[in-house]
Amino acid sequence: MSYPKPPDFHGTTFLKSLLLSLHPQQREVFQQPVSKVDANEWTKPLWHYLDKLHPLLWQQGENFPSSAGEQISYLANGQLLMAVSFNPNDYQTLVNHGRLPAGVERHTLSDKAITNNHYLAIPVSSNNAEAAKAVIEFLLSEKAQQRKADTNRWGDPSVLKRTQKADKSSALLEPTDDFHASWQNYLEREWSARYQ
């Protein structure tokens, strides 16, 4: 087992997920700026957990995959037994595309998930804002969202609540609010100080 090396986005979010698992009743603390809480105290259980976990990891926690993509490759060739993802259907899509062997299963750390948003925007400098708006409206249509959720394509669940309710195959966890932005740098800096 392993996880992507922070500051890889997946690796840092894995740390956040562990923190939420270690503090399931105090999630609101992490929506506050690091400077407003005793971050050192709140992260002590995380560092204690990782200190015990790292010697048991792939290469005894001396090396980490550089990215989620590299971790998927290690999983595919049998070097690792797990990979992290924001997409609950990622494993099935990768199996369907022949990038992972059949039999790969999804497991979760918590009853809630930090989800990955895909933002659509029209730049102020756009030469054709109306055409851009039409593309965004199409991408947010039920038809496009259903196609996006197809595990023979991307497999990313729909952002539309009505489509999510109809598609029980993705077994979405209830989303939790992501951490305040200041936690990103704090966790990456503290992780690097301890484990690099």
Side-chain angles (χ1 to χ4, degrees):
M1 290 177 54
S2 191
Y3 58 93
K5 179 181 180 178
D8 172 81
F9 185 69
H10 287 85
T12 304
T13 305
F14 179 72
L15 300 180
K16 293 176 185 179
S17 296
L18 287 175
L19 273 172
L20 292 179
S21 296
L22 293 165
H23 299 289
Q25 305 305 317
Q26 294 93 15
R27 295 169 192 226
E28 67 283 348
V29 167
F30 302 110
Q31 275 94 58
Q32 298 177 50
V34 167
S35 61
K36 300 287 185 191
V37 299
D38 187 350
N40 183 50
E41 192 62 34
W42 283 100
T43 55
K44 274 184 184 176
L46 172 66
W47 310 129
H48 179 71
Y49 178 82
L50 292 177
D51 288 345
K52 290 185 172 196
L53 177 67
H54 282 186
L56 306 173
L57 292 179
W58 174 70
Q59 298 187 358
Q60 293 72 50
E62 295 293 322
N63 295 300
F64 294 85
S66 63
S67 67
E70 186 173 63
Q71 187 178 30
I72 296 270
S73 295
Y74 291 159
L75 175 61
N77 70 26
Q79 287 181 288
L80 291 176
L81 299 174
M82 66 157 273
V84 297
S85 177
F86 294 110
N87 179 344
N89 298 328
D90 204 20
Y91 76 101
Q92 189 61 57
T93 300
L94 293 168
V95 168
N96 290 350
H97 291 182
R99 293 189 51 211
L100 287 178
V104 173
E105 297 177 355
R106 173 182 52 215
H107 296 277
T108 61
L109 294 174
S110 179
D111 62 335
K112 295 190 178 186
I114 298 173
T115 58
N116 197 2
N117 293 310
H118 308 290
Y119 297 100
L120 302 171
I122 302 171
V124 177
S125 60
S126 174
N127 290 331
N128 196 335
E130 285 304 310
K133 184 177 177 186
V135 170
I136 288 173
E137 287 173 356
F138 166 74
L139 292 173
L140 291 173
S141 71
E142 194 158 342
K143 181 179 179 181
Q145 289 295 309
Q146 286 175 340
R147 186 175 171 110
K148 179 180 77 124
D150 182 348
T151 58
N152 289 312
R153 292 182 171 85
W154 181 1
D156 194 44
S158 172
V159 298
L160 306 175
K161 291 195 185 309
R162 64 183 176 273
T163 308
Q164 288 175 1
K165 289 176 185 171
D167 177 21
K168 299 297 182 198
S169 64
S170 63
L172 295 175
L173 294 175
E174 183 181 334
T176 188
D177 292 331
D178 198 353
F179 285 44
H180 185 274
S182 61
W183 284 91
Q184 190 84 10
N185 288 335
Y186 176 81
L187 290 171
E188 290 167 357
R189 183 180 66 244
E190 293 296 316
W191 188 93
S192 294
R194 287 170 169 77
Y195 304 116
Q196 282 203 8

